[in-house]
């Protein structure tokens, strides 16, 4: 009898968690322009990728988002999209994971992206200064 009561309570808690709207956990942190970590500022940078609620724009490739899945209690978004380079169209799936330092891991590319706004804010190194050895 005790096992049934405990199981019932566990099922009730699980049902409540499933009913909570997904937007309560996931923010729209992924909608922005990004470039490869450590790259030059986003002006004329071919690693730039821009995520919006309807599209993903990359160098010479544009994608329409077919489905966006937010994972509860995690800063993870799965994007299902249709992409074209002007000649061919293909279906793609990407996972975006928000990292602690406000960067984004893009999978399956295994690429760390940094916000363009943060790249612009970083001072560029002086090319005339020798690096210490």
């Amino acid at each position: 009898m005790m096992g049934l009561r405990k199981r019932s309570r566990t099922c009730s808690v699980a049902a409540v968690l499933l009913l909570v709207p997904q937007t309560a956990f996931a923010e729209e942190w992924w909608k922005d322009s990004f470039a490869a970590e450590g790259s030059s500022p986003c002006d004329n940078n071919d690693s730039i990728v821009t995520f919006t609620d309807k599209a993903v724009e990359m160098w010479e490739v544009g994608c329409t988002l077919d489905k966006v899945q937010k994972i509860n209690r995690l800063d993870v978004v799965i994007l299902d999209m249709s992409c074209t380079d002007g000649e061919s169209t293909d279906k793609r799936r990407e996972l975006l994971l928000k990292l602690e330092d406000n960067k984004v891991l893009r999978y399956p590319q295994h690429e760390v992206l940094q916000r363009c706004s943060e790249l612009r804010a970083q001072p560029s190194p002086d090319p005339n200064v020798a690096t210490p050895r």
Side-chain angles (χ1 to χ4, degrees), residues 54-57 62-67 80-84 91:
K54 296 181 182 181
V56 177
E57 296 296 327
C63 303
T64 302
L65 291 178
D66 300 324
K67 185 176 181 181
D80 290 307
M81 52 193 153
S82 301
C83 300
T84 183
K91 296 279 188 181

Side-chain angles (χ1 to χ4, degrees), residues 64-113:
T64 302
L65 291 178
D66 300 324
K67 185 176 181 181
V68 176
Q69 297 176 14
K70 299 172 186 175
I71 308 299
N72 283 341
R73 293 175 295 237
L74 297 174
D75 286 327
V76 174
V77 176
I78 299 172
L79 306 175
D80 290 307
M81 52 193 153
S82 301
C83 300
T84 183
D85 61 4
E87 296 178 12
S88 62
T89 301
D90 64 329
K91 296 279 188 181
R92 297 184 187 180
R93 173 174 268 187
E94 291 187 6
L95 180 139
L96 303 177
L97 169 66
K98 183 179 179 184
L99 302 175
E100 289 181 13
D101 55 1
N102 205 28
K103 294 177 183 171
V104 173
L105 175 64
R106 186 179 181 198
Y107 182 83
Q109 294 86 344
H110 299 284
E111 178 180 44
V112 176
L113 301 174

Side-chain angles (χ1 to χ4, degrees), residues 11-41:
C11 289
S12 298
V13 171
V16 168
L17 288 175
L18 290 173
L19 292 175
V20 176
Q22 289 184 1
T23 55
F25 298 111
E27 303 170 8
E28 303 302 321
W29 52 266
W30 55 277
K31 293 180 185 177
D32 204 349
S33 290
F34 298 87
E37 178 183 39
S39 65
S40 61

